[in-house]
Amino acid sequence: MSLTNLVRHIFVPRMHELEKHQTQGEQLQRQVLTHLLKAAKGTEYGREHGFATIKGYEDFVKYNPVNTYEELKGQIDRMRYGEADVLWPGRVKWYAKSSGTTNDKSKFIPVSDEGLQKIHYAGGYDSVALYLRNNPKSRLFDGRALILGGSHAPNYNLPGSLVGDLSAILIENINPLANLVRVPKKQTALLSDFEVKRERIAREAMNKNVTNISGVPSWMLSVLNCMMEITGKTHLEEVWPNLEVFFHGGVAFTPYRKQYEQLITSPNMHYMETYNASEGFFGLQDDPADKSMLLMLDYGVFYEFQPMDGGDIVPLWGVEKDKNYAMLISTSCGLWRYMIGDTVRFTSVNPYKFVISGRTKSFINAFGEELIVDNAERGLAYACEQTGAEVLEYTAAPVFMDANAKCRHQWLIEFSHPPRDIQQFAHLLDMKLQDLNSDYEAKRYKDITLQPLEIIQARKGLFNDWLKQRGKLGGQNKVPRLSNSREHIEQLLKLNEK
């Protein structure tokens, strides 16, 4: 009998609990806030901000400021040195290192034991629960899981304390029983040199019965291509005939989808998006036919949202469909009204479903065009569809004024399959961006403010070389997509000449 059929019933009770997300969103979130305030009222932060006397959301807003990493950095650093009861009860041993999308400076996000179990692992559990619900014929547990992670290192040499990629912290602390059905071995999974790790993972996994893979699309694709080179195979199902699902997250899947579909041609292959950031596990694609994700409301995360077009911050029950919001979180890891840096757009409010629309700092608004990552991804997808091209990596930034006093957007794109006519691709992208974004369209009107966008084709491996040069190859490190500054694109253009 299939092992999957034997364990499937374990997830049934949780599926009943998740039904509350359909109609009880406000109630679930108020319960989370009450728990967080009660748990942290004796911490330094809780005492300073009156957690013990707060009666509800309105009081919480009144006595607690909005925070960025800079506001909490000093307290987090004290926690890293071993101080207890600062932002969350007790001593926090684990810290997820994040460079963000547009900032070179590392951030160290505390991951408490409760946060590890009731946010991050809870999200992994629900990923499986929802996948099994949607796929009654699944044989998920009849084979191995390939989990791609980063690396970690000692935290200030404190015993048992680690700092590193969130994925490495999750692998380090995973239930030992999970190692029986996971590849690669732990020692390989936590290697810091991605180029070495990539080949070792490929060699360890290629003769295993892998049924599911998990990781960041860009880095997973690198591992899979390496395995194709080693095995000499053309399609992944020739190596893993029972592969059925890719749980992916970390970066938008759109630029990589076609490459995966070419690599994995099996009609039985599924893709499930997850929103598991260093700061918490926030969303899951609960319907394979709907690209939006279900906001997870009963973990240790309380959400607030700031309209990107101006206006007051609202709790979950105050959001509207089709508006862009910057997301704020308060969590059982000690982040309070924390501006995470991501923007979301709700596609439904009953239940609460959303798409990631971009980053608060990853946009181009040099001329009032307000171009966000969601526009960029959809524009590229359209241009690729029309030309047969495939985009591997990209970044874009404004050219404020050239020798002819002209302003434009400059895109540096590494294609896995370039278009026959790069100018046609640029035109299609430009026209689609105008269709998607009225501000961009207005600035492009008769080329008065903005000239047509420019595309520079990147050499093969440019973005990986850039990340490697900065010591950020592998793990959860990402290429900055859009920026008001030319800092990153100038570094890349210079490297592109070598």
Side-chain angles (χ1 to χ4, degrees):
M1 178 179 285
S2 165
L3 179 60
T4 306
N5 290 336
L6 290 175
V7 302
R8 184 185 291 272
H9 72 277
I10 296 173
F11 296 91
V12 173
R14 177 56 182 163
M15 289 310 308
H16 292 317
E17 292 178 5
L18 285 173
E19 291 176 2
K20 296 178 181 177
H21 282 61
Q22 303 296 316
T23 58
Q24 300 179 35
E26 179 177 348
Q27 180 182 341
L28 291 172
Q29 276 289 276
R30 288 190 183 276
Q31 289 172 351
V32 169
L33 180 60
T34 298
H35 165 72
L36 293 175
L37 295 172
K38 182 178 180 181
K41 66 182 180 181
T43 64
E44 177 185 295
Y45 193 92
R47 294 193 303 271
E48 289 177 354
H49 294 86
F51 282 13
T53 60
I54 290 176
K55 302 300 183 184
Y57 175 68
E58 292 72 19
D59 283 351
F60 180 60
V61 171
K62 182 178 179 181
Y63 296 114
N64 288 269
V66 171
N67 292 300
T68 64
Y69 184 79
E70 291 303 317
E71 277 81 46
L72 299 179
K73 179 181 175 183
Q75 289 146 308
I76 291 174
D77 206 46
R78 287 166 47 207
M79 293 166 66
R80 290 185 61 203
Y81 274 106
E83 284 194 46
D85 304 320
V86 180
L87 293 173
W88 189 252
R91 289 186 173 86
V92 176
K93 298 184 294 182
W94 307 301
Y95 296 86
K97 186 177 180 180
S98 171
S99 60
T101 302
T102 60
N103 193 331
D104 292 341
K105 200 167 188 177
S106 294
K107 295 181 288 188
F108 299 92
I109 306 301
V111 182
S112 68
D113 184 62
E114 181 174 327
L116 189 68
Q117 299 298 328
K118 296 186 179 180
I119 299 177
H120 294 291
Y121 286 146
Y125 187 91
D126 284 350
S127 301
V128 175
L130 288 167
Y131 177 75
L132 291 177
R133 181 201 67 182
N134 292 331
N135 297 278
K137 295 182 180 180
S138 171
R139 303 290 294 267
L140 190 75
F141 290 103
D142 293 11
R144 301 289 190 94
L146 170 57
I147 302 174
L148 187 59
S151 61
H152 60 61
N155 170 53
Y156 289 149
N157 294 316
L158 294 178
S161 186
L162 299 172
V163 61
D165 293 318
L166 172 67
S167 54
I169 293 172
L170 297 176
I171 290 172
E172 181 65 45
N173 292 282
I174 200 169
N175 187 314
L177 292 176
N179 290 320
L180 299 177
V181 295
R182 181 183 63 80
V183 290
K185 61 185 179 182
K186 188 175 178 181
Q187 181 183 2
T188 300
L190 297 177
L191 283 171
S192 58
D193 187 325
F194 182 73
E195 292 179 300
V196 173
K197 176 161 67 175
R198 175 178 56 187
E199 182 173 348
R200 289 192 185 178
I201 290 174
R203 292 190 181 280
E204 287 182 29
M206 65 186 189
N207 294 317
K208 299 292 192 298
N209 178 28
V210 172
T211 60
N212 60 100
I213 56 178
S214 304
V216 177
S218 53
W219 303 124
M220 181 62 77
L221 189 62
S222 180
V223 170
L224 298 181
N225 284 333
C226 178
M227 186 156 55
M228 293 296 96
E229 292 175 9
I230 293 171
T231 61
K233 304 297 185 182
T234 304
H235 299 118
L236 194 58
E237 57 265 36
E238 297 177 80
V239 181
W240 297 328
N242 298 314
L243 180 67
E244 60 177 83
V245 61
F246 179 23
F247 299 101
H248 61 85
V251 299
F253 191 54
T254 302
Y256 305 99
R257 179 176 290 278
K258 192 169 184 179
Q259 294 172 72
Y260 274 92
E261 290 174 348
Q262 291 175 342
L263 181 63
I264 309 168
T265 60
S266 169
N268 300 318
M269 185 63 187
H270 303 91
Y271 299 90
M272 183 174 180
E273 185 167 8
T274 67
Y275 184 9
N276 189 13
S278 298
E279 296 85 353
F281 201 120
F282 308 128
L284 283 169
Q285 186 180 4
D286 65 325
D287 179 357
D290 183 357
K291 292 182 179 179
S292 61
M293 288 181 280
L294 180 70
L295 191 67
M296 308 314 292
L297 305 178
D298 58 354
Y299 299 171
V301 182
F302 180 78
Y303 302 96
E304 296 176 89
F305 302 90
Q306 183 174 46
M308 292 297 288
D309 59 0
D312 295 333
I313 293 171
V314 296
L316 179 67
W317 51 93
V319 301
E320 301 175 25
K321 284 176 57 179
D322 300 322
K323 287 184 67 172
N324 272 316
Y325 293 95
M327 191 162 75
L328 289 75
I329 57 172
S330 298
T331 77
S332 55
C333 292
L335 301 177
W336 300 104
R337 304 199 77 198
Y338 180 84
M339 184 75 74
I340 187 175
D342 288 342
T343 62
V344 299
R345 174 173 55 83
F346 283 90
T347 60
S348 166
V349 294
N350 190 23
Y352 291 96
K353 299 187 70 171
F354 69 98
V355 294
I356 302 170
S357 54
R359 297 277 296 175
T360 57
K361 293 183 180 180
S362 184
F363 58 88
I364 303 178
N365 193 30
F367 314 103
E369 65 274 44
E370 298 186 24
L371 189 74
I372 62 175
V373 173
D374 183 58
N375 301 151
E377 299 287 352
R378 292 167 68 183
L380 286 170
Y382 173 78
C384 286
E385 180 184 347
Q386 295 299 310
T387 63
E390 296 174 16
V391 172
L392 185 62
E393 296 286 0
Y394 73 92
T395 193
V399 175
F400 293 97
M401 193 172 291
D402 62 17
N404 299 312
K406 300 296 186 181
C407 304
R408 65 188 182 279
H409 287 182
Q410 189 176 62
W411 293 65
L412 181 61
I413 303 178
E414 181 180 342
F415 294 95
S416 56
H417 183 73
R420 289 185 179 180
D421 187 338
I422 198 76
Q423 296 304 321
Q424 180 197 20
F425 186 93
H427 175 71
L428 289 167
L429 173 59
D430 187 63
M431 296 304 295
K432 188 62 176 179
L433 292 177
Q434 293 183 54
D435 181 55
L436 293 168
N437 185 318
S438 59
D439 290 312
Y440 181 82
E441 180 184 34
K443 301 303 179 291
R444 284 282 296 111
Y445 180 69
K446 293 187 176 181
D447 299 348
I448 294 173
T449 303
L450 275 178
Q451 300 296 301
L453 64 84
E454 172 192 16
I455 292 180
I456 298 174
Q457 190 167 341
R459 63 171 172 78
K460 185 177 181 181
L462 172 67
F463 289 91
N464 275 0
D465 289 347
W466 182 70
L467 288 170
K468 184 178 179 181
Q469 190 178 77
R470 291 151 56 89
K472 297 181 181 296
L473 186 64
Q476 293 174 289
N477 297 298
K478 308 167 191 174
V479 172
R481 297 307 195 192
L482 306 179
S483 178
N484 264 342
S485 163
R486 290 190 58 81
E487 177 187 358
H488 293 132
I489 202 168
E490 290 292 352
Q491 293 171 359
L492 283 156
L493 287 170
K494 187 175 181 179
L495 193 61
N496 198 42
E497 297 173 355
K498 296 182 178 180

